[in-house]
Amino acid sequence: MGEKQYGIDPKRLSEYAQEVKQIVDKGIQVAIVIGGGNIFRGLAGASNGMDRVQGDHMGMLATVINGLALQSALEDAGIETRLQSAIKINEVAEPFIRRRAVRHLEKGRVVIFGGGTGNPYFTTDSAAVLRAIEIEADVILKGTRVDGIYTADPEKDKSATKFDFISFDDVLKKGLKVMDTTAFTLSQENELPIIVFDMNTQGNLLKVMEGENIGTKVNL
């Protein structure tokens, strides 16, 4: 959304594309799972009386719209991309096929995964972890509005302190909100580290990839 109330901000898209380009130029393979909350949130629709499954399907389609927008921005920046959707929508995106996704990555293309998992009741976080496991990713980078994991919500509690490193077990013991429980447990079971960082600060993505202490790393 950028500075907008809803929809897609071309300026923010362009900034993200440049961030991704910096790490692609270093030979890092990048896959992106994108949400759709700027257009429609299934859970919010359900809370207003809409059928939950119907709302979630609308949310999945919103992620495909965002995927197309990001693909366009990345290609404007000179990056080859492929958009794969968990929902069959062949006119605009490839179907998700694991081997094809891995091959695209090997060829240096950025792969965008849209459509969530293709199933209602599963969040974008769950889709991100599932796809990461399937393509044998080294790490999940969760780009958010805050610069890591805190003892409490830093936007509400000014005394909240930030963790540089934390274990999966400690996140659960302290009841900290990193991802939804399904996604987090799946990541823990597959020993897939998570780095939570502020994606809206320019240069952060590259710093994370270069090993700088940006954000919070969740590991075993």
Side-chain angles (χ1 to χ4, degrees):
M1 288 189 294
E3 302 302 318
K4 296 173 178 282
Q5 295 300 307
Y6 61 89
I8 296 168
D9 181 0
K11 179 173 174 286
R12 180 53 56 84
L13 270 182
S14 175
E15 287 170 359
Y16 284 161
Q18 290 305 319
E19 293 285 302
V20 173
K21 181 175 170 57
Q22 286 183 324
I23 64 170
V24 170
D25 287 349
K26 289 190 169 291
I28 295 166
Q29 294 177 1
V30 181
I32 299 170
V33 171
I34 196 156
N38 55 314
I39 299 170
F40 188 84
R41 288 186 186 276
L43 200 57
S47 68
N48 289 319
M50 181 180 285
D51 177 74
R52 172 67 192 269
V53 174
Q54 204 82 335
D56 281 358
H57 282 143
M58 291 171 71
M60 288 178 217
L61 291 172
T63 71
V64 176
I65 292 172
N66 279 344
L68 286 164
L70 183 60
Q71 182 178 39
S72 179
L74 289 168
E75 288 178 346
D76 282 348
I79 302 165
E80 253 200 284
T81 73
R82 292 292 186 273
L83 173 62
Q84 292 197 343
S85 171
I87 303 170
K88 284 185 182 173
I89 186 165
N90 295 341
E91 285 73 18
V92 297
E94 294 179 2
F96 168 68
I97 298 171
R98 176 184 165 272
R99 287 176 182 270
R100 188 182 284 179
V102 171
R103 189 76 183 111
H104 288 321
L105 291 167
E106 288 170 352
K107 288 184 173 180
R109 296 168 183 151
V110 170
V111 181
I112 302 166
F113 295 121
T117 65
N119 302 292
Y121 295 97
F122 287 89
T123 64
T124 306
D125 284 345
S126 292
V129 176
L130 181 62
R131 294 289 178 254
I133 294 163
E134 288 176 304
I135 64 170
E136 298 181 5
D138 296 310
V139 64
I140 289 183
L141 306 177
K142 183 174 166 73
T144 66
R145 288 194 313 249
V146 292
D147 62 342
I149 301 168
Y150 283 76
T151 51
D153 185 345
E155 292 179 351
K156 295 175 183 170
D157 184 351
K158 297 302 174 194
S159 67
T161 55
K162 178 173 164 281
F163 297 100
D164 290 331
F165 300 93
I166 190 167
S167 69
F168 282 99
D169 286 342
D170 280 347
V171 168
L172 294 170
K173 281 176 194 164
K174 294 176 191 295
L176 302 172
K177 189 73 178 151
V178 178
M179 292 177 164
D180 72 82
T181 311
T182 305
F184 192 77
T185 305
L186 193 58
S187 193
Q188 182 180 23
E189 285 175 352
N190 288 274
E191 301 181 7
L192 186 63
I194 303 165
I195 298 176
V196 180
F197 73 107
D198 176 6
M199 183 66 192
N200 296 331
T201 299
Q202 289 186 330
N204 265 4
L205 186 58
L206 180 62
K207 287 175 182 174
V208 167
M209 289 289 87
E210 289 180 336
E212 286 193 39
N213 190 17
I214 300 287
T216 303
K217 184 167 186 178
V218 185
N219 218 330
L220 293 173

